Amino acid sequence: MANIFDDIMNVLMGGKPGSGSSKKPDREEEEQEKPKKEKKSGRGRKAVKNGGKVAGIILLVVLVAVLAMNATYTIGEQEQAVVTTFGVPGAVTESGLHFKIPFVQQVTKVDTTIQGFSVGFDSEDQVVDREAVMITSDFNFVDIDFYVEYRVSDPVKAVFASKQPEEILRNLAQSCIRSVVSNYDVDSVLTTGKNEIQSNIKEMLLAQMEEQDIGLQLVNITIQDSEPPTADVMAAFKNVETAKQGKETSINNANRYRNEKLPKAEADVDQILQEAESTKTRRINEAYGAVAIFNAQYEEYVKNPLVTKQRMFYETMEDVLPNLKVIIDGTDSVNTMLMDQLSGSSGQAAAGAAGSESMSGTTGGGTAGDQQGTAGSGETETGAEN
């Protein structure tokens, strides 16, 4: 081993291998070769010094390169950074190239784009029962899937306020969802109350996030799907939904029919009311006219009772006689004939009525006794005809 080591040293010092063999040279040879060895060792020491300088220069270049690489960082357009200097954080919101103190300042980049997570189903659209199954106010179970969208509003709080801000937001969302859903019945959750439920959940979740202050901002929360938890219940709810749709269709048809008929009925009612008002006005005016005529006749009757009676009698006969049936009582038998069956009787009766009217007009200016005689003759003729 000593010989091998000597050979290696001789090679490094510029000598030849084998010079360190087991054969011991004589003292004279050693003394003669001693100046040569001293020269060779001086050259080796000089080479070692030059190699150390080169290694130092290389190490220095590497150190400068490492420091230069750690002295800069770049922020994208949709990013912000949190720079920590001796444990004190600060936010950097401007995009582009920035500088820092190597090994003193630490940089944590934060994505500020809109992100999201699902509640009730996983990335493969499989239902997660422990998140999706909820109970309603009427003690029914439903499967509800939500999707929550959020973004980083404060990068410093998002990095240092909590270790897992997204997990905190997920827990808050589940708590608010269950609290709101428990206030509605199963029909509202499955059909008509989805928009109201979303609005109430968002309002409650915003209040919770403001209280926790974890550096995240809620963008939106939506119901992806809601259905009964089992196939049998799902089929029953589908039947109920179909019945509700049929009910709404019937109601809409009834409303349409009402809207079609109601205006016409209202128009008919208006027309009837107008006709009734017109008839009422006409009857009232006719009554007032009849009262006025009666009062005028009564005033004349008070002045001349007998003349007024006779005039009224003649006017009544003029209206009655043309439509009167005539009965002739013969000696042998009784024959009943209508006025229109007597060919000449109707004309003669009309002429006789006209003659009696002219006679009454002529005798109207006579004495009261003549008028009574005329009235008596007229009553006698009427009795004979009867």
Side-chain angles (χ1 to χ4, degrees), residues 324-328 335-342 345:
L324 190 66
K325 293 181 180 180
V326 179
I327 299 174
I328 300 175
N335 296 322
T336 302
M337 293 179 291
L338 297 177
M339 180 67 75
D340 55 1
Q341 292 177 352
L342 300 174
S345 299

Side-chain angles (χ1 to χ4, degrees), residues 75-82 92 108-116 150-155 158-159 165-166 215-217:
I75 301 177
E77 293 183 358
Q78 301 295 332
E79 292 180 337
Q80 292 184 5
V82 179
V92 179
T108 304
K109 296 181 180 181
V110 179
D111 187 5
T112 59
T113 58
I114 296 177
Q115 305 177 52
Y150 69 95
R151 60 182 296 272
V152 176
S153 60
D154 190 337
V159 174
E166 181 178 342
L216 300 181
Q217 177 185 0

Side-chain angles (χ1 to χ4, degrees), residues 216-287:
L216 300 181
Q217 177 185 0
L218 179 66
V219 176
N220 195 15
I221 180 169
T222 56
I223 296 177
Q224 299 297 309
D225 191 16
S226 60
E227 60 185 11
T230 61
D232 295 338
V233 178
M234 186 183 302
F237 272 106
K238 287 183 178 179
N239 294 333
V240 172
E241 183 65 21
T242 303
K244 288 183 177 179
Q245 292 179 357
K247 173 185 174 183
E248 293 178 356
T249 302
S250 300
I251 292 174
N252 293 332
N253 292 334
N255 290 331
R256 183 181 62 183
Y257 179 79
R258 181 189 64 181
N259 294 333
E260 291 177 355
K261 297 298 182 180
L262 189 59
K264 184 177 181 301
E266 291 177 351
D268 294 339
V269 169
D270 292 338
Q271 182 179 358
I272 293 172
L273 290 176
Q274 291 177 1
E275 291 178 355
E277 289 293 333
S278 176
T279 304
K280 172 184 174 183
T281 303
R282 180 172 57 81
R283 293 288 181 85
I284 291 174
N285 293 332
E286 289 178 354

Side-chain angles (χ1 to χ4, degrees), residues 5-6 23 47 101 103 119 150-151 195 240 245 266 290 297 314 346 356 362:
F5 180 75
D6 290 339
K23 295 180 180 181
I101 302 174
F103 306 108
V119 177
Y150 69 95
R151 60 182 296 272
N195 293 330
V240 172
Q245 292 179 357
E266 291 177 351
Q297 290 179 350
Y314 293 144
S346 60
S356 64
T362 303

